[in-house]
Amino acid sequence: MTTPSTPNDLINTDNGRFKFTMWTAKINGSYDAGWGVRITPALRFQQGQPYGRTFNAGAANGINYGTQRILAEPIDSRRQDNIMILDLRMEKSVALGQGHKLGILVDVYNLTNSDAAQNINWGSGSSFEQPIAIIGPTIMRFGVKLDW
């Protein structure tokens, strides 16, 4: 636990500690589809990060040591978007003889094109809950590997 530097650090906390729960699940596996083709899907689900509205207080609010960010509500009052991402790899192996293999790969990241916000603005004001970072779009990667 970080030691509170001011009494304001104790507002909407449990004696200076944030109490919340989070969980993540991941499922993946491989399927040999025949003809030397292997398909490997990976599904990841992540619960959204908890947050509470904050505001900045300064000299106008009686604080004489600079600006202080203060929780206006407990940290587990709200949650950011849940994030679900499906990735897929397809690989075709070709035997080259003497135990050597050539693999041709295609990776597809974020196959379902999730556009969940990874991070949002917690601060009170006109930009409250506006996205700061959003999951990137579907992308593909092609590659070759050599097992020697």
Side-chain angles (χ1 to χ4, degrees):
M1 177 179 104
T2 304
T3 304
S5 57
T6 74
N8 296 324
D9 292 340
L10 301 174
I11 296 173
N12 283 315
T13 67
D14 182 18
N15 199 23
R17 294 186 178 120
F18 298 127
K19 286 197 168 188
F20 58 87
T21 58
M22 285 190 62
W23 57 269
T24 300
K26 185 174 182 179
I27 300 171
N28 60 7
S30 292
Y31 173 70
D32 289 325
W35 302 290
V37 175
R38 175 173 281 177
I39 300 171
T40 307
L43 178 66
R44 178 176 60 104
F45 185 85
Q46 177 180 322
Q47 186 179 28
Q49 180 179 342
Y51 72 99
R53 183 186 293 260
T54 64
F55 65 91
N56 289 328
N61 307 101
I63 295 177
N64 62 1
Y65 53 85
T67 302
Q68 176 80 26
R69 189 176 80 163
I70 298 174
L71 274 172
E73 55 194 16
I75 196 76
D76 63 349
S77 298
R78 305 164 188 258
R79 284 213 180 258
Q80 294 184 167
D81 291 345
N82 292 331
I83 298 173
M84 185 169 63
I85 297 177
L86 176 62
D87 298 332
L88 182 69
R89 169 174 274 193
M90 293 174 284
E91 179 178 348
K92 167 74 173 151
S93 293
V94 178
L96 298 178
Q98 297 179 354
H100 305 306
K101 283 199 279 186
L102 178 70
I104 300 168
L105 310 167
V106 177
D107 291 324
V108 183
Y109 299 101
N110 193 9
L111 184 65
T112 58
N113 202 23
S114 171
D115 62 354
Q118 281 181 300
N119 200 1
I120 62 172
N121 186 340
W122 303 0
S124 295
S126 61
S127 63
F128 178 64
E129 294 186 328
Q130 292 296 310
I132 295 171
I134 297 174
I135 301 289
T138 301
I139 59 172
M140 293 180 73
R141 178 175 71 173
F142 299 93
V144 177
K145 75 176 186 177
L146 181 60
D147 290 335
W148 201 251

